[in-house]
Amino acid sequence: MALKFSRQDQVYVPRWKNNRELPETEQIRVSYRTLTVEDMFSIQRETKINLLGGMDLNLSEVGAWDRYWDLIKFVIEKYTSIWKNIEVDGKALTEPKEITGEIKALGLNLLAEVFQQVVSASMGTDEEEKNSL
């Protein structure tokens, strides 16, 4: 078995609002890097949410949505880089902090999907897990 890692940025095209059905030049795209184990612990220290433990978040608890948003915002701002094809009031947004700053215009679902992609890609695939046994 070969163990292969990539620390290069990956590009993700979200499914959000049928984005993938658009012509490629109009699709929202985002670059991201996968998380290391140290990154996972850094996220836990910053947000007080354990990604490795399955994100035990009860969204019916007071303050849980704030913690969830803090988690998403932290990961988006720290582990994504270049966003393409997002514009608010005629201004193109490309930087992660610009993106999270305009959440009302963008919608939480887009950012949650990108967050899930970063975390899922960082955990490896089922095939990799099967080969590690």
Side-chain angles (χ1 to χ4, degrees):
M1 170 188 80
L3 186 57
K4 299 177 184 178
F5 293 98
S6 175
R7 295 302 296 147
Q8 296 179 5
D9 281 358
Q10 309 292 314
V11 175
Y12 180 65
V13 180
R15 290 180 175 85
W16 183 73
K17 294 195 175 190
N18 297 316
N19 179 57
R20 290 184 179 177
E21 276 70 57
L22 295 172
E24 195 170 308
T25 57
E26 296 176 23
Q27 291 174 346
I28 294 171
R29 294 174 174 267
V30 59
S31 295
Y32 71 94
R33 71 176 180 86
T34 54
L35 308 171
T36 64
V37 172
E38 179 54 38
D39 293 332
M40 296 282 200
F41 287 117
S42 175
I43 291 167
Q44 180 176 328
R45 282 189 297 272
E46 183 68 27
T47 66
K48 309 296 186 243
I49 297 173
N50 183 358
L51 285 179
L52 293 171
M55 268 182 26
D56 189 21
L57 245 177
N58 180 353
L59 293 177
S60 64
E61 289 178 12
V62 174
W65 279 103
D66 288 334
R67 289 180 53 224
Y68 184 55
W69 167 240
D70 289 344
L71 172 66
I72 290 173
K73 184 177 175 187
F74 184 81
V75 170
I76 295 292
E77 289 180 358
K78 189 157 174 99
Y79 300 101
T80 69
S81 54
I82 300 167
W83 289 72
K84 293 185 179 179
N85 292 320
I86 294 184
E87 190 176 294
V88 175
D89 296 330
K91 180 185 178 227
L93 306 180
T94 60
E95 297 299 318
K97 286 188 179 185
E98 292 176 320
I99 302 300
T100 59
E102 293 293 339
I103 184 64
K104 290 178 184 161
L106 297 175
L108 180 59
N109 291 338
L110 171 62
L111 298 182
E113 179 184 341
V114 172
F115 163 79
Q116 287 294 336
Q117 174 61 29
V118 172
V119 173
S120 295
S122 300
M123 298 294 186
T125 65
D126 290 341
E127 185 65 24
E128 290 165 340
E129 184 177 341
K130 181 181 79 173
N131 288 335
S132 71
L133 299 176

